Amino acid sequence: MDGLEIKGGAALRGDIVISGAKNAALPLLCLGLMSSAPLVLGNVPELADTILMEGLLRHHGVEVTRDGETVTMRGGATNYDAPYELVRKMRASVLVLGPLLARYGEARVSLPGGCAIGTRPVDLHVRAMQELGAVVELADGYIQARAPGGLSGGRIVFPTVSVGATENALMAAVLARGSSELVNVAREPEIADLANCLNAMGAKIIGQGTDTIMVEGVEALHAANYTVISDRIEAGTFAIAAAMTGGDLTLKGIRARTLDALLMVLRESGATVTETDDTIRVVANGRPIAADITTDPFPGFPTDLQAQFMAMMCIADGSSRISETIFENRFMHVPELLRMGADIRVHGGIAMVRGRDALTPAPVMATDLRASVSLVLAALTIEGKSQISRIYHLDRGYSRLEEKLGNCGAKLRRIKVA
Ligand code: EPZ
């Protein structure tokens, strides 16, 4: 099994071009189900997860071709069944539900099952489809949804903010008869990206990026070319890497506005952060100063950067209180950081981190995507060699990570781990 050997201690210095956003690309790929006309997506990162999604779309009958980071889809779907053996590999597969229902009036999608960071139910997705007129049954581990006469517009009020449920509701509403109002929606930049691509395909959506989105249903969508936004979580990961290795990194092709909450706390912890329209430069000023964070839906501090920030707090000057409010089990990186000498105490959704002068080399294990990259960051600060096993988790969300970090002075290489 693939592992990563990291010889840390070097300050990261240089430029990194940020790739397309995984969490924008995954719902955007599902738009290939919504029209038989060609949809050409640019800047689609080549990741385990995007490759899995392309495979799922082919399973549905969509013609999918990839040329570098450009994916072209045409032909629409010929079957509406997303089987367990595909869906269980990636939760985002549930995002085929809205498109299949909207375009074909039926969908049979396996319940995704849990994952490392929590049970991650899909009740909000199901209720949104029902609000638009679908008949939905949960049976045999599947969501079985039908809308024989097509979907009809409605008012959906989300009791809690959900990125995926917002995306499924949005994709379903664009082909529903009449207008829809989606209230208390997620405001992540990836939602606006999905809405903007749908509008390029002929949808009529306004309000994306705010907490209420209005949709005027249309008969059909047409061909479009669209470029996926850059990955704010990848950029945030590298920004933290610069701050915690005493480095100086310039991140290219990223809008700083998508990372305000992180950049504010990086400045609080002593880094110098400068921005232009499409670059962010992070320069460390000595050892980071401890700071507290609470994760929150966008524009709050992203839960997808919590593990990475915790890695930085493990070597910060002072104590940090980290509150994870989005997922019930997103501290899987803690036991592994403890193996590296960190001082962390967890009580429910709160982790108290007391900064150490330095961590120590240790073999550790990746458990989920963001936890695994937090271990990479921790290892980059440690003189001596650390080994991280099960790094297939990393490959789900970071393209060419070794190359990008290696070009900035990091010493890491893939190894075989028993
Ligand atoms: C998306 O997951 C992202 N994944 C996650 O990134 C991210 O952590 C999460 O949003 C929060 O920002 C993709 O975009 C592919 P949610 P999603 O629905 O949509 C609960 C990564 O590392 N909930 O916003 O599944 C849920 O349990 C991944 O790239 C329900 O209760 O997240 C959670 O507590 C990890 N019922 C909260 O809402 C539902 O029907 C927020 O989840 C749906 C969600």
Side-chain angles (χ1 to χ4, degrees):
M1 193 179 285
D2 270 1
L4 208 51
E5 180 187 86
I6 299 174
K7 189 180 175 324
L12 296 182
R13 288 200 177 84
D15 298 351
I16 300 179
V17 176
I18 300 302
S19 299
K22 167 179 85 80
N23 291 349
L26 291 173
L28 285 168
L29 285 166
C30 294
L31 300 184
L33 294 164
M34 298 194 72
S35 160
S36 45
L39 172 59
V40 182
L41 294 176
N43 202 29
V44 181
E46 200 155 2
L47 302 165
D49 274 13
T50 47
I51 302 298
L52 272 174
M53 183 62 86
E54 290 159 37
L56 176 58
L57 293 172
R58 289 193 187 94
H59 165 83
H60 284 300
V62 180
E63 190 191 319
V64 183
T65 53
R66 177 183 269 270
D67 173 12
E69 298 197 324
T70 298
V71 174
T72 302
M73 294 175 287
R74 54 166 58 90
T78 50
N79 99 68
Y80 319 130
D81 186 319
Y84 179 60
E85 60 271 15
L86 292 178
V87 173
R88 71 179 173 80
K89 291 178 191 158
M90 182 179 59
R91 287 189 42 77
S93 308
V94 73
L95 294 174
V96 302
L97 175 65
L100 288 171
L101 255 185
R103 177 98 196 288
Y104 305 101
E106 65 176 283
R108 183 172 178 273
V109 180
S110 167
L111 284 166
C115 75
I117 60 177
T119 53
R120 302 188 70 187
V122 289
D123 56 311
L124 299 177
H125 297 244
V126 170
R127 277 174 40 197
M129 299 303 110
Q130 291 168 326
E131 295 285 348
L132 296 175
V135 176
V136 185
E137 287 172 295
L138 298 184
D140 313 322
Y142 278 77
I143 303 167
Q144 316 207 12
R146 285 178 300 105
L151 295 173
S152 41
R155 183 166 188 268
I156 302 172
V157 181
F158 290 99
T160 58
V161 173
S162 160
V163 170
T166 297
E167 290 165 342
N168 253 329
L170 181 58
M171 293 186 283
V174 299
L175 292 180
R177 255 188 320 285
S179 59
S180 296
E181 182 185 19
L182 313 182
V183 182
N184 196 28
V185 295
R187 296 159 55 189
E188 273 69 5
E190 293 76 30
I191 304 286
D193 212 33
L194 180 64
N196 295 338
C197 183
L198 278 163
N199 282 342
M201 296 169 75
K204 292 183 179 142
I205 303 166
I206 54 171
Q208 57 270 35
T210 74
D211 63 3
T212 302
I213 292 178
M214 304 297 289
V215 182
E216 189 58 46
V218 294
E219 282 290 311
L221 298 174
H222 54 64
N225 280 18
Y226 192 79
T227 300
V228 180
I229 54 169
S230 297
D231 195 322
R232 61 193 169 96
I233 304 302
E234 182 193 34
T237 301
F238 293 134
I240 292 169
M244 65 192 281
T245 59
D248 176 353
L249 288 180
T250 298
L251 309 174
K252 300 192 152 187
I254 183 69
R255 287 180 49 238
R257 287 292 67 74
T258 61
L259 275 171
D260 281 335
L262 171 71
L263 301 186
M264 188 175 77
V265 78
L266 285 183
R267 291 185 176 110
E268 188 186 335
S269 63
T272 302
V273 180
T274 47
E275 315 158 9
T276 69
D277 273 354
D278 62 353
T279 63
I280 300 172
R281 184 178 178 191
V282 180
V283 182
N285 296 303
R287 185 181 177 191
I289 301 157
D292 298 343
I293 59 163
T294 297
T295 63
D296 214 33
F298 190 88
F301 191 95
T303 175
D304 291 349
L305 287 174
Q306 176 258 107
Q308 298 91 313
F309 187 79
M310 185 184 289
M312 183 163 92
M313 291 298 103
C314 290
I315 47 120
D317 181 2
S319 292
S320 163
R321 180 181 186 278
I322 295 177
S323 170
E324 172 55 62
T325 70
I326 307 291
F327 290 109
E328 70 267 27
N329 183 31
R330 203 166 196 178
F331 286 147
M332 306 281 279
H333 40 290
V334 170
E336 302 306 309
L337 290 169
L338 292 176
R339 288 176 51 74
M340 296 171 119
D343 180 345
I344 308 169
R345 291 196 179 23
V346 172
H347 304 281
I350 309 282
M352 291 305 297
V353 184
R354 190 173 292 134
R356 310 292 299 270
D357 292 343
L359 297 177
T360 48
V364 290
M365 185 180 78
T367 51
D368 60 272
L369 168 56
R370 308 303 175 180
S372 41
V373 85
S374 79
L375 301 177
V376 172
L377 298 187
L380 287 173
T381 68
I382 299 171
E383 305 276 346
K385 288 182 182 173
S386 299
Q387 268 190 17
I388 302 174
S389 61
R390 300 192 180 182
I391 60 156
Y392 57 85
H393 290 289
L394 264 182
D395 298 334
R396 299 192 59 158
Y398 291 92
S399 65
R400 298 179 291 108
L401 184 71
E402 293 109 279
E403 178 192 325
K404 290 173 179 171
L405 289 174
N407 290 343
C408 297
K411 297 207 177 2
L412 29 68
R413 68 187 181 95
R414 287 219 176 206
I415 53 172
K416 285 295 172 209
V417 179

